[in-house]
Amino acid sequence: MTVFAEAHTGAVQRRLLADGDHGPLPTPDAAQLVGMARDAGLTGRGGSGFPLWRKLNAVIASGRPPVIIANGAEGEPASGKDKALLAYQPHLVLDGLQLVARAARASTAHLYVPRPSALRAVLAARRDPIPVTLVAAPDAFVSGEESAVASAVAGRGAVPADKLTRLPDTGTLVQNVETLAHLAMIARYGAGWFRAAGTYDEPGTFLATVSGAVAAPGVLEAGYGVTLGSLIAAAGGPAGALSAVLVGGYHGAWVPADPELPISRAALAPFGASPGAGVVMALPSGACGLTENARIAGCLAGQSAGQCGPCVNGLPRLAATLADLAAFRSRPGLPAEVDRLTRLVTGRGACRHPDGTARLIASAMRAFSADVAAHLSGRCLATSGRFLTTEARA
Amino acid sequence: MTRLHIDWTACDGRGLCAELLPELLAEDDWGFPIARDGSPSPAVPGPLEPAAQRAVDRCPALALRLLRDTR
Ligand SMILES: Cc1cc2nc3c(=O)[nH]c(=O)nc-3n(C[C@H](O)[C@H](O)[C@H](O)COP(=O)(O)O)c2cc1C
Ligand code: SF4
Ligand code: SF4
């Protein structure tokens, strides 16, 4: 294992995705592990970016029987990094799971993945002190939401639950598989090593799934703060001119295709975006952002778990309104209606699916504001700005 | 401070609570309760607590709860 001595800027590099074996796993006690995770500044890689040490501490302090779960559901359609990690370095994930399970004094731990059979042999070849059970994650966007994960592991359906108390306070720890893999690296190489990648405020590397208009789509690893241009270059470079980039995932946000833009919370915040689960999807100039946005909104509306009125009713209404906009079925006040609906659904569900969907849509209305104006007058900028015929508008 | 929590997985949106607590709640496009202050779980001022408690007690879906001091 090479110890990198790069500067405090994000660069494309391989840590989790490096070849080889990392040797025996140290056995820190709970206080040491929490301390290391805190010193390293390790945050969740499943989308929320929440510090691992706080959740682990809350689980330990809860006094409740611990339920420890590695979340590899990866319901996000544009993401492939958890699958790649589990295929390439499953032992790092399983090491991280042992570390948190030990710290929480759990007698078992759970690995929640779409295709458990692929991991059976890997698990069988290990001699884990804490036995791990495999739980199948249904193929649905919300099945990776933490309360849905806890419900699935408890043998009920993988649907989100109402949250009167935060999950860690009930003794349940749900961590993304990548987060656990980083923890296994930190236990071996230390917090200082971890912090040598990324920025001061956002240390470490993250796995990125780069897709869309790039020559070689795939999963890459880079320090936080890596520029969009470096990530896209590492994915073979742009396949033609780009008009915008979706960052974070289907619950993320559209940002300008600016090669200098750093992928970090700090740099993306002005766009209402965050690195999220590491999704980077490049939109080619010839494609219409409003059409792409309507497609994603339709997909997300179809993924509502069907439990909460404002989500069940509001997301399809939003998707239909955006489909109208994309297809030039304009009417007065359409953008204002989109704005009203995004506010109407936000915060009004058992999970944050409506919030994430609303965030993505709001970002599209900002990033593609010129396209919105053009579409309202029956033109599309992406398809070379030409006027559509009346037949095409109907 | 007391807040009104809505369990969206239980609420069936007949809007009884909005009738019992019009100071705090309105109905959205589909009849589901929406806080007038726009917050997901609206703060309940002291004088409205009895009315809020009545809404909690009468919700047919047991979807409402008053949360005290937490958060
Ligand atoms: C609708 C929805 C879907 C989610 N899907 C996933 C997922 O597939 N995998 C994941 O790790 N986190 C997912 N999350 C985030 C989890 O709720 C949770 O924050 C995460 O697993 C915690 O792990 P971390 O702190 O290590 O990131 C989802 C959240 C929402 C609201
Ligand atoms: S907010 Fe939507 S996705 Fe989340 S639990 Fe409710 S209905 Fe399901
Ligand atoms: S009374 Fe209960 S079920 Fe009816 S709308 Fe209000 S919260 Fe929903």
Side-chain angles (χ1 to χ4, degrees):
Chain A
M1 182 71 210
T2 324
V3 175
F4 295 90
E6 70 278 12
H8 281 295
T9 53
V12 175
Q13 62 179 95
R14 282 171 172 263
R15 280 182 160 189
L16 295 183
L17 297 182
D19 292 328
D21 183 343
H22 294 280
L25 181 67
T27 51
D29 64 25
Q32 287 167 334
L33 188 68
V34 168
M36 271 192 274
R38 186 191 51 219
D39 294 347
L42 176 60
T43 54
R45 301 307 200 241
S48 69
F50 196 80
L52 173 137
W53 73 271
R54 286 183 186 274
K55 284 179 19 181
L56 181 55
N57 241 356
V59 167
I60 294 168
S62 73
R64 306 277 291 274
V67 179
I68 309 297
I69 310 167
N71 185 2
E74 200 167 41
E76 163 71 57
S79 184
K81 56 108 181 167
D82 291 340
K83 184 176 173 211
L85 177 64
L86 285 165
Y88 199 64
Q89 286 285 15
H91 292 294
L92 284 176
V93 175
L94 292 165
D95 288 350
L97 185 57
Q98 289 293 312
L99 287 170
V100 290
R102 209 178 102 92
R105 297 175 180 275
S107 52
T108 57
H110 309 272
L111 175 57
Y112 180 68
V113 285
R115 272 160 299 277
S117 54
L119 285 154
R120 209 149 277 144
V122 176
L123 261 181
R126 292 169 58 97
R127 277 195 192 74
D128 282 323
I130 301 167
V132 174
T133 60
L134 287 162
V135 180
D139 182 21
F141 195 99
V142 299
S143 66
E145 191 272 342
E146 58 177 12
S147 63
V149 173
S151 172
V153 165
R156 302 184 299 266
V159 288
D162 183 44
K163 294 170 189 72
L164 272 174
T165 38
R166 287 174 309 168
L167 218 45
D169 295 332
T170 68
T172 298
L173 184 70
V174 178
Q175 296 288 166
N176 176 258
V177 289
E178 183 193 340
T179 316
L180 293 171
H182 284 294
L183 187 66
M185 298 287 271
I186 292 165
R188 290 185 170 94
Y189 306 112
W193 168 85
F194 183 77
R195 299 190 70 97
T199 70
Y200 182 79
D201 290 325
E202 298 168 71
T205 58
F206 69 102
L207 297 179
T209 310
V210 187
S211 67
V214 294
V219 175
L220 296 162
E221 182 172 6
Y224 282 119
V226 65
T227 61
L228 193 51
S230 313
L231 265 188
I232 288 179
L242 304 180
S243 61
V245 176
L246 177 65
V247 174
Y250 281 16
H251 280 173
W254 290 97
V255 303
D258 173 3
E260 300 301 319
L261 183 66
I263 304 299
S264 67
R265 285 185 160 243
L268 293 170
F271 301 98
S274 80
V279 165
V280 171
M281 203 176 92
L283 185 75
S285 301
C288 173
L290 297 181
T291 302
E292 185 60 9
N293 184 51
R295 182 189 69 76
I296 296 175
C299 162
L300 292 172
Q303 293 292 332
S304 143
Q307 305 193 95
C308 313
C311 178
V312 170
N313 293 284
L315 299 195
R317 173 87 68 85
L318 262 168
T321 309
L322 293 166
D324 285 349
L325 178 61
F328 310 99
R329 291 187 293 265
S330 71
R331 53 181 176 271
L334 189 148
E337 175 68 356
V338 172
D339 184 53
R340 185 185 75 87
L341 288 168
T342 55
R343 289 167 203 274
L344 188 58
V345 299
T346 298
R348 296 180 67 227
C351 80
R352 303 192 78 78
H353 183 55
D355 307 47
T357 304
R359 178 168 52 236
L360 172 82
I361 292 169
S363 82
M365 297 301 277
R366 286 191 304 268
F368 304 120
S369 58
D371 302 80
V372 170
H375 271 235
L376 290 175
S377 59
R379 284 193 311 137
C380 181
L381 299 177
T383 51
S384 8
R386 76 190 128 81
F387 280 88
L388 293 176
T389 61
T390 5
E391 298 88 277
R393 266 200 246 179
Chain B
M1 193 194 0
T2 303
R3 292 185 166 278
L4 185 65
H5 173 83
I6 304 169
D7 175 354
W8 292 108
T9 67
C11 169
D12 63 9
R14 307 277 174 72
L16 179 64
C17 52
E19 268 170 49
L20 292 173
L21 206 50
E23 299 89 343
L24 278 191
L25 301 175
E27 284 182 40
D28 71 7
D29 299 27
W30 308 283
F32 292 91
I34 181 159
R36 293 195 185 275
D37 69 0
S39 95
S41 38
V44 182
L48 282 180
E49 278 203 31
Q53 187 60 54
R54 213 168 313 127
V56 169
D57 295 341
R58 298 203 28 206
C59 167
L62 307 177
L64 297 176
R65 205 143 304 174
L66 285 178
L67 304 179
R68 294 199 169 80
D69 294 329
T70 47
R71 277 188 256 199

